[in-house]
């Protein structure tokens, strides 16, 4: 599959770009948990991606490659392996630059090629041959098919979507709503199934900020109030338990409610019977008894 050119960059002017390009030395500190040889492979991908995306800018005015670095950075925080980080750095190269999958495989191996291919949208040529297909549906179908080969494809896509949602304010209102709805309907559920709770919760919060901003404000206030009351209550419980037994080693942590439960709690406000606990806690003890 050949590169499809820089269609994202065509509407972006270099004069817009005020954000600095992230350098390798700044990024390298995030991948120091990997071996020296793996860091060298990642550096090679960094340089290749930086050169391929040269002159491309996002709607925010930031250099386009900064987005790829941000995705790789978040994956590095998850302690992803070298192939995953390399694929993240190059995940938009096939779609937006002249790089090809053959070049990527030649430089980084078959596994990276599969990851990049899986994270790449269907090209316009493929869709034009089947004009009745919806590009978003077919892109997801492709991802799920390739996911059977390697689940890391979906993890890259989830983190890619997370960064796009974090910078969604630069899109038109219509595009924001479409992306937020798709994120809520598809990506939040996938993150939940993959037990990526932090990614799931942030995607859900960002989607709600676009689709239901007033409700989000109310739920944030409810969460802040619940957390304050919960922390105070748990501190009191722990003091009482320790007073009852000086040898008792126990700690308690307030557990944040998921957005779905917060929404249900907000809807049931004022009801005597809600079926929802006002406070959820995790107790940590040295032994089972």
């Amino acid at each position: 599959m050949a590169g499809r050119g820089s269609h994202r960059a065509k509407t972006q002017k270099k004069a817009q770009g005020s954000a600095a390009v992230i350098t390798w030395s700044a990024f390298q500190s995030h991948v120091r948990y990997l071996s020296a040889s793996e860091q060298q492979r990642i550096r090679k991908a960094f340089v290749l991606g930086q050169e391929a995306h040269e002159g491309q800018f996002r709607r925010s005015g930031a250099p386009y490659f900064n987005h790829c670095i941000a995705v790789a950075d978040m994956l590095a925080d998850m302690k992803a392996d070298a192939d995953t980080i390399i694929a993240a750095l190059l995940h938009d190269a096939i779609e937006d630059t002249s790089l090809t999958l053959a070049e990527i495989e030649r430089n980084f191996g078959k596994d990276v090629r599969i990851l990049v291919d899986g994270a790449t949208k269907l090209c316009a040529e493929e869709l034009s041959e089947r004009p009745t297909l919806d590009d978003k549906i077919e892109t997801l179908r492709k991802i799920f098919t390739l996911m059977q080969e390697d689940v890391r494809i979906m993890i890259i896509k989830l983190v890619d979507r997370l960064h796009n949602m974090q910078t969604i304010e630069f899109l038109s209102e219509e595009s924001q709503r479409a992306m937020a709805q798709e994120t809520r309907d598809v990506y939040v559920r996938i993150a939940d199934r993959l037990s990526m709770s932090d990614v799931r919760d942030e995607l859900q919060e960002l989607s709600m900020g676009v689709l239901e901003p007033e409700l989000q404000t109310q739920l944030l206030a409810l969460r802040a109030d619940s957390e304050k009351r919960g922390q105070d209550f748990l501190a009191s419980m722990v003091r009482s338990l320790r007073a009852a037994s000086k040898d008792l080693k126990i700690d308690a942590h307030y557990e944040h409610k998921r957005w779905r439960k917060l929404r249900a709690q907000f809807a049931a406000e004022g009801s005597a019977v809600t079926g929802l606990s006002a406070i959820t806690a995790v107790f940590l003890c040295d032994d089972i008894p």
Side-chain angles (χ1 to χ4, degrees):
M1 184 188 297
R4 266 92 76 184
S6 52
H7 72 264
R8 279 198 186 108
K10 286 178 182 176
T11 59
Q12 310 303 315
K13 303 299 182 184
K14 193 167 185 177
Q16 290 178 306
S18 56
V21 177
I22 298 172
T23 63
W24 163 251
S25 59
F27 177 71
Q28 186 181 15
S29 62
H30 298 276
V31 295
R32 290 198 185 280
Y33 63 92
L34 295 168
S35 68
S37 62
E38 289 173 324
Q39 289 182 46
Q40 281 301 109
R41 291 181 68 229
I42 293 170
R43 181 175 186 173
K44 183 178 180 181
F46 188 100
V47 172
L48 185 63
Q50 192 172 47
E51 291 174 350
H53 288 287
E54 180 68 31
Q56 297 180 2
F57 294 85
R58 303 194 93 198
R59 287 182 175 87
S60 63
Y64 190 84
F65 190 57
N66 280 8
H67 160 70
C68 304
I69 296 172
V71 174
D73 188 16
M74 286 190 275
L75 287 165
D77 287 343
M78 300 176 188
K79 296 296 185 284
D81 64 7
D83 282 354
T84 303
I85 293 173
I86 290 169
L89 289 169
L90 301 175
H91 77 273
D92 278 330
I94 302 303
E95 188 177 1
D96 290 338
T97 79
S98 60
L99 274 178
T100 66
L101 288 171
E103 290 176 283
I104 288 174
E105 181 170 357
R106 188 164 58 251
N107 281 283
F108 304 105
K110 182 180 178 181
D111 285 351
V112 173
R113 179 192 65 77
I114 290 172
L115 293 176
V116 173
D117 186 29
T120 301
K121 295 177 183 176
L122 288 172
C123 66
E125 290 81 1
E126 289 177 272
L127 290 169
S128 64
E129 294 172 1
R130 296 174 288 176
T132 58
L133 301 182
D134 179 275
D135 62 336
K136 290 181 181 178
I137 293 174
E138 291 308 309
T139 297
L140 287 170
R141 193 193 310 278
K142 174 184 178 182
I143 292 168
F144 285 125
T145 300
L146 289 171
M147 223 174 81
Q148 296 176 56
E149 293 186 50
D150 200 323
V151 73
R152 291 175 295 178
I153 293 169
M154 196 67 245
I155 294 172
I156 293 169
K157 287 300 293 184
L158 283 168
V159 177
D160 176 43
R161 175 53 60 103
L162 178 58
H163 186 252
N164 282 329
M165 287 298 296
Q166 289 171 344
T167 55
I168 198 172
E169 71 271 17
F170 298 104
L171 300 180
S172 68
E173 186 175 336
E174 182 181 356
S175 295
Q176 285 187 39
R177 293 191 65 82
M179 180 182 286
Q181 191 65 56
E182 182 185 50
T183 298
R184 175 185 283 182
D185 293 343
V186 179
Y187 289 90
V188 167
R189 297 183 183 188
I190 296 172
D192 186 52
R193 289 301 180 96
L194 292 178
S195 299
M196 297 175 68
S197 56
D198 289 344
V199 173
R200 174 202 66 204
D201 292 345
E202 188 171 356
L203 286 173
Q204 204 160 16
E205 181 176 353
L206 291 166
S207 300
M208 192 185 307
V210 174
L211 300 172
E212 300 173 288
E214 292 182 8
L215 176 62
Q216 184 194 46
T217 300
Q218 293 168 320
L219 293 185
L220 285 170
L222 175 62
R223 185 167 71 174
D225 180 63
S226 296
E227 182 175 1
K228 183 179 183 307
R229 289 188 294 111
Q231 297 284 16
D232 292 343
F233 183 69
L234 291 179
S236 175
M237 284 185 69
V238 171
R239 283 196 299 272
S240 298
L241 286 167
R242 287 174 178 166
S245 175
K246 294 182 179 179
D247 296 328
L248 185 64
K249 294 181 180 179
I250 189 169
D251 200 5
H253 296 272
Y254 175 82
E255 189 173 87
H256 290 283
K257 281 188 173 62
R258 290 174 53 180
W259 289 103
R260 178 174 56 79
K261 290 189 176 181
L262 268 177
R263 185 190 289 263
Q265 184 179 342
F266 178 77
E269 202 68 12
S271 172
V273 181
T274 65
L276 297 168
S277 59
I279 298 170
T280 304
V282 176
F283 287 89
L284 301 179
C285 311
D286 278 359
D287 54 63
I288 292 174

